[in-house]
Amino acid sequence: FLEQSGRLNAGRGSKRQLDGIQRMDASLMDGATLRAGAVASIEGFVHPITVARLVMEETNHVLLVGPWASRFARHFKLERQPTRSPSRRVSYESILSRRQVDRDRHGTVGAVALDRSGTVASGASTGGINSMLPGRVGDTPLIGCGIYADNRTGAVSMTGLGEGIIRLAVARTICECLGDGKSPRVAGMIVLRQLVSRIGGAAGTLVMTPDGRFTIAHVTAHMAAGWWGGIGKPTVRGRWT
């Protein structure tokens, strides 16, 4: 639904890279089996998360990228969206001159979940960040960076500036803290603060454990997120302290 809406930085609403093309990333992981699926730099499809799930369920691979990820999606006749070619040919020198460090809102769509059997799962879908060089890939499709799920520890999904998240393998690192006995809140904040102190990163996280404890945590000014326990209305806010 969120990819379909066009209002968030995923699916229809994905940011465009500096050549004017939407290239999207997505991933899923199942904590019971440690199976995972992901796509990177996929073009022309409304639901990259569905393609990631098909990679997990229909192949022996984890990650497909670029035109071959798009060809894989076409094989399964998934819903497509129009692609836009640049209105004029742009030199690579011109693209490089427009590059800048991105500190704007990023808006990865992520989720963690727990079912009645105690299995956790995580997923994420994104259109990236502002001012991306063509071919840039962030943390979202990298298992252990943007997402991780293991029934022995918990499930994590990340949002934020992917370059920093990759360098600390944040999702897996939070799961390791859970394995050391830390609560979801403490585990998330320990690693997010390391991200800030060591490399000046910016991120938020969703963390869920197999016994139902969870947190929504961030070291950014805001993080639009919510939770739902299956009964009543969901709780949604723009800031979580």
Side-chain angles (χ1 to χ4, degrees), residues 25-130:
D25 306 330
S27 60
L28 284 172
M29 189 167 185
D30 173 8
T33 62
L34 302 185
R35 295 177 67 199
V39 291
S41 290
I42 191 170
E43 300 177 23
F45 289 88
V46 176
H47 298 297
I49 197 70
T50 302
V51 191
R53 183 165 187 163
L54 287 167
V55 173
M56 180 177 73
E57 294 180 343
E58 301 294 335
T59 79
N60 294 322
H61 308 317
V62 171
L63 175 62
L64 295 180
V65 304
W68 284 98
S70 300
R71 185 167 181 176
F72 177 80
R74 288 197 299 271
H75 174 79
F76 287 96
K77 298 179 172 58
L78 300 182
E79 184 179 0
R80 300 178 70 174
Q81 60 178 325
T83 56
R84 185 182 78 182
S85 299
S87 58
R88 60 185 178 84
R89 189 175 183 86
V90 180
S91 71
Y92 199 68
E93 288 76 11
S94 175
I95 289 173
L96 286 173
S97 71
R98 301 207 305 265
R99 185 166 55 99
Q100 63 187 38
V101 176
D102 179 33
R103 293 293 181 185
D104 201 354
R105 292 177 294 176
H106 314 298
T108 296
V109 174
V112 293
L114 170 67
D115 71 12
R116 291 185 178 91
S117 73
T119 288
V120 293
S122 59
S125 180
T126 189
I129 59 175
N130 292 335

Side-chain angles (χ1 to χ4, degrees), residues 9 13 16 27 38 49 76 83 111 117 125 150-151 153 163 200 211 216:
N9 181 22
R16 297 182 183 275
S27 60
I49 197 70
F76 287 96
T83 56
S117 73
S125 180
D150 185 345
N151 279 6
T153 54
E163 281 71 11
D211 61 4
I216 301 169

Side-chain angles (χ1 to χ4, degrees), residues 149-202:
D150 185 345
N151 279 6
R152 295 183 179 182
T153 54
V156 176
S157 183
M158 301 299 303
T159 182
L161 191 57
E163 281 71 11
I165 294 169
I166 292 168
R167 287 156 64 188
L168 286 184
V170 170
R172 177 61 191 272
T173 303
I174 291 174
C175 282
E176 289 174 351
C177 287
L178 294 173
D180 290 338
K182 303 289 192 304
S183 71
R185 179 72 183 178
V186 171
M189 290 308 299
I190 284 174
V191 182
L192 289 177
R193 286 168 181 157
Q194 288 179 359
L195 182 69
V196 174
S197 65
R198 296 194 65 189
I199 55 179

